[in-house]
Amino acid sequence: MLTTRFIPCTLDTGWGMVPEEKQFFLDIKARPSTAAWHVCTAGGKGLSETIGARPSGSQLEAALGKFEPEDDPKIPALSAKSQSLLIKPPPGTLVLYMTWSVLGGHEKSKSEHLEMMRRSLGADRVWVRKDEAEALAKGVFPESLKQRMFTKSHLPFVVAVNKGAANQVELTFRQGRLAGVVQAATKDGNYGHDMDVLGFIEAKEGKITRFDVVAKGPWWSATNPSNYAAGLNYAGDGRKYPVAVTFTLADPNDLLAKASPAPIHVAAEVSAYLR
Amino acid sequence: MFMTKLKLATAALSALCVITSPLRAQEKPPAPRAGLSLAEFEKLHKDLQIKSQPWAAIPWLASITEARQLAAKEKKPILLFTGNGSLICGG
């Protein structure tokens, strides 16, 4: 139903909607919330709203019952200023999918929902600068990319070990094979990870054709991370849990690949993220 | 006198061995890490693919303007999932 009878769209209200999006939100009379589902028309008429939980099949059917196709609805184009606010990768940027999951370590719960949340897969995107991609194709793993992936941006953002943790990254990259160790730990021992890394990066005619990297090892945290950490949000009790993280080359034309990396919104600007 | 000196030297040498033995034990290099095996790499890489997730099969648009344009063209309503922070980011 979601793919055949609706146009599915996701919008992050927490990271700076442009003015036209804010107006649309007002038009459909959406209430502020941390998570909600809205059924609405292209012209900006709200048909239903579900806050905090996904709508049932019958609720969606009811919303469909209210829908009437619009003739030539007014859809304002984004202004030049709004266009400038959109977060887009620079030309030539490679996009990687990053995923992570807690692999086990919990005592089994009777709650199916909790079990599902514990196993949930986290997902984000990593941007690789054009010059970094060119360096990879020549057999060099750029330090800036290493830092973006493992020590300054993506992995710390997810595992939330930014609390003065000492990072250690020892990676070798030879003949397309990346291997080594990524470690972090706070002095008090309350937060950290200790992961082995293995990956394969291939290029053809100067273009990256494969980027498959996996990091796996114990992760521990005295508190639940608050940074969109999927299953890690249910493992913050100080014990060590096995966690795996993957990085995979994405097709930049995939809809999934078009979401901007989460750490950009913390860095507040693309250039700071890509540094 | 000579025997006394010999006894003292032997005692000193023994004491030195006792002191240096633990130090030598500490100097042993740690066992090398096994690292991630190829089999484990392949399994984890396969299991943690974003496209294996049911929600990834839904053609989510990340632009409300694009969604509105497509909805108008296909004469369908928009199903808009909103959140406060990192929606397609496993939050």
Side-chain angles (χ1 to χ4, degrees):
Chain A
M1 183 198 286
L2 294 186
T3 56
T4 56
R5 301 176 73 183
F6 294 92
I7 300 299
C9 179
T10 180
L11 188 64
D12 199 322
T13 60
W15 285 343
M17 289 190 286
V18 295
E20 291 83 352
E21 290 168 343
K22 288 180 186 172
Q23 184 57 51
F24 183 76
F25 236 58
L26 293 173
D27 291 344
I28 65 171
K29 296 183 174 48
R31 288 176 288 166
S33 65
T34 52
W37 296 81
H38 309 272
V39 178
C40 51
T41 68
K45 182 181 174 188
L47 301 176
S48 79
E49 180 183 75
T50 314
I51 304 261
R54 65 177 183 271
S56 64
S58 58
Q59 285 174 313
L60 290 177
E61 287 286 359
L64 284 168
K66 294 183 205 172
F67 173 69
E68 289 178 7
E70 296 157 318
D71 292 323
D72 196 24
K74 283 185 183 172
I75 302 170
L78 295 184
S79 67
K81 183 171 180 189
S82 292
Q83 290 277 2
S84 71
L85 294 173
L86 295 176
I87 294 175
K88 290 180 182 175
T93 299
L94 280 189
V95 180
L96 309 175
Y97 291 126
M98 175 186 178
T99 65
W100 62 93
S101 181
V102 178
L103 303 176
H106 292 286
E107 288 177 20
K108 193 157 170 61
S109 164
K110 289 180 184 175
S111 165
E112 197 178 314
H113 180 258
L114 180 56
E115 286 294 313
M116 184 182 69
M117 297 306 288
R118 282 171 171 174
R119 290 194 309 268
S120 61
L121 186 74
D124 198 1
R125 293 97 186 115
V126 177
W127 286 355
V128 179
R129 298 193 317 247
K130 184 180 174 194
D131 62 294
E132 290 171 333
E134 289 167 351
L136 285 170
K138 290 175 184 171
V140 174
F141 201 103
E143 187 62 29
S144 53
L145 179 59
K146 200 184 291 183
Q147 290 178 9
R148 192 174 315 120
M149 286 170 67
F150 295 117
T151 60
K152 287 190 175 175
S153 194
H154 284 275
L155 185 57
F157 183 81
V158 165
V159 300
V161 192
N162 302 354
K163 305 171 202 270
N167 280 291
Q168 184 175 349
V169 174
E170 290 179 13
L171 294 173
T172 59
F173 183 50
R174 290 193 196 99
Q175 296 181 317
R177 186 177 185 273
L178 182 73
V181 169
V182 171
Q183 297 167 314
T186 54
K187 281 184 185 174
D188 58 14
N190 286 339
Y191 303 89
H193 55 260
D194 183 7
M195 298 185 177
D196 292 305
V197 177
L198 181 61
F200 300 93
I201 296 148
E202 295 170 5
K204 190 175 178 183
E205 295 172 359
K207 304 281 184 192
I208 298 297
T209 53
R210 181 187 183 192
F211 191 113
D212 293 329
V213 173
V214 173
K216 184 217 166 188
W219 168 85
W220 58 98
S221 176
T223 53
N224 280 326
S226 56
N227 284 346
Y228 323 112
L232 296 180
N233 280 111
Y234 301 87
D237 58 13
R239 292 187 297 161
K240 290 188 178 179
Y241 287 86
V243 168
V245 182
T246 74
F247 299 88
T248 308
L249 185 66
D251 179 346
N253 296 316
D254 272 356
L255 290 176
L256 279 177
K258 295 194 175 186
S260 52
I264 280 183
H265 303 279
V266 175
E269 56 179 16
V270 173
S271 58
Y273 163 77
L274 284 172
R275 202 167 293 143
Chain B
M1 182 70 167
F2 174 76
M3 287 306 294
T4 304
K5 282 186 180 176
L6 183 61
K7 282 179 185 175
L8 283 171
T10 305
L13 191 60
S14 299
L16 192 61
C17 289
V18 167
I19 292 168
T20 54
S21 290
L23 285 174
R24 282 187 190 155
Q26 288 172 14
E27 288 167 3
K28 281 183 187 171
R33 290 169 75 113
L36 210 56
S37 70
L38 186 58
E40 204 168 15
F41 164 87
E42 286 173 348
K43 182 180 186 322
L44 287 169
H45 189 262
K46 182 186 168 197
D47 289 348
L48 270 62
Q49 283 300 296
I50 192 172
K51 293 200 174 184
S52 67
Q53 299 297 294
W55 58 264
I58 299 170
W60 295 104
L61 290 170
S63 159
I64 192 62
T65 300
E66 286 179 27
R68 294 177 74 181
Q69 289 166 347
L70 192 57
K73 181 182 171 190
E74 297 193 4
K75 298 196 182 303
K76 290 178 182 174
I78 299 167
L79 178 63
L80 181 61
F81 176 36
T82 62
N84 196 340
S86 200
L87 282 180
I88 318 185
C89 188

